[in-house]
Amino acid sequence: MIEFNNVSKVYDTGNRAIRDINLTVGDGEFVFVTGRSGAGKSTLLKLITRELKATEGEVLVAGRDIGRLREREIPRYRRQLGIVFQDFRLLNDRNVFENIAFAQRVIGASGAEIRRNVPEMMKLTGISAKYKNMPNQLSGGEQQRVAIARALINRPSVILADEPTGNLDERNSEEILRLLLEINQMGTTVIVITHSKQLVESVDKRVIVMDKGTVVDDYVSMKNSPPLKNFFCSEPPKQRGRSRRNPEFSAMPGNDPDNGRRHER
């Protein structure tokens, strides 16, 4: 479980990127975080990965205040996170197999473990046939599949995907979203940072909308609901689907209408 309790982040420049956020993401949830550029999405992600520390409040992951982690503890903490980037960040001098294996070598996995785990991840992400290919021999969608396999290889409890379809066409975007949904169905918490309205509207999942460093809406998207006309507005959008403040939503398993409280699983 990930909890933000009265969290604010002020940069050295004086820019207040996050403003008094209270938010809970339950174990096994699939959540979109969206909003226009500068809304605070990237800062939210960096607070979870502990690239940044909150100026005020606390960020709890699995009940632990990660703001209190010592520098030497941060690499071990990050092993429970799998991070997928918009620009893939593959190693250009290594083939598909070695790119995925790299994440295992970093944690000291044995050769036998690597030979067992890498093919399993390649099969899961549909990239097995390309195991000898270099990154520049892959399409954008294939590169993102390699990046997802690398993020999954150490069995993280949380996948953080930062604009994972930002550089992909519509067909590849749909395939990457389908893969992330499959990963979520296996019990992994998935948080997708995106500005794509089409992506958000394509599935019935929780959507957190940010603007000017605050959460302005928190609801469950409905595939057949009207387009998000006010998706990037500074005022809270009108309710679409089941709102987090709606009693019907509150009764759903794993959801909590009070942002600062734990979900009851």
Side-chain angles (χ1 to χ4, degrees), residues 27-43:
D27 293 337
E29 268 200 278
F30 188 109
V31 181
F32 290 109
V33 179
T34 193
R36 61 186 174 185
S37 186
K41 306 185 300 298
S42 294
T43 300

Side-chain angles (χ1 to χ4, degrees), residues 8-19 38 40 43 55 212:
S8 295
K9 175 60 185 178
V10 182
Y11 288 103
D12 293 340
T13 59
N15 176 40
R16 183 173 288 270
I18 295 288
R19 301 170 182 269
T43 300
T55 307
K212 298 180 180 177

Side-chain angles (χ1 to χ4, degrees), residues 197-256:
K197 293 187 287 184
Q198 183 176 1
L199 200 69
V200 170
E201 292 171 350
S202 65
V203 291
D204 297 342
K205 292 297 179 182
R206 181 181 173 192
V207 182
I208 295 168
V209 183
M210 295 188 67
D211 188 67
K212 298 180 180 177
T214 65
V215 173
V216 297
D217 206 358
D218 189 343
Y219 65 96
V220 174
S221 177
M222 302 292 287
K223 286 187 290 186
N224 296 322
S225 61
L228 309 185
K229 295 180 180 178
N230 298 319
F231 201 79
F232 297 111
C233 67
S234 58
E235 296 298 321
K238 294 181 180 179
Q239 178 179 317
R240 295 167 298 276
R242 292 164 292 192
S243 169
R244 299 283 284 179
R245 296 181 290 274
N246 188 312
E248 178 187 353
F249 178 90
S250 305
M252 294 171 62
N255 293 314
D256 186 339

Side-chain angles (χ1 to χ4, degrees), residues 72 176 202:
R72 60 182 174 82
I176 293 301
S202 65

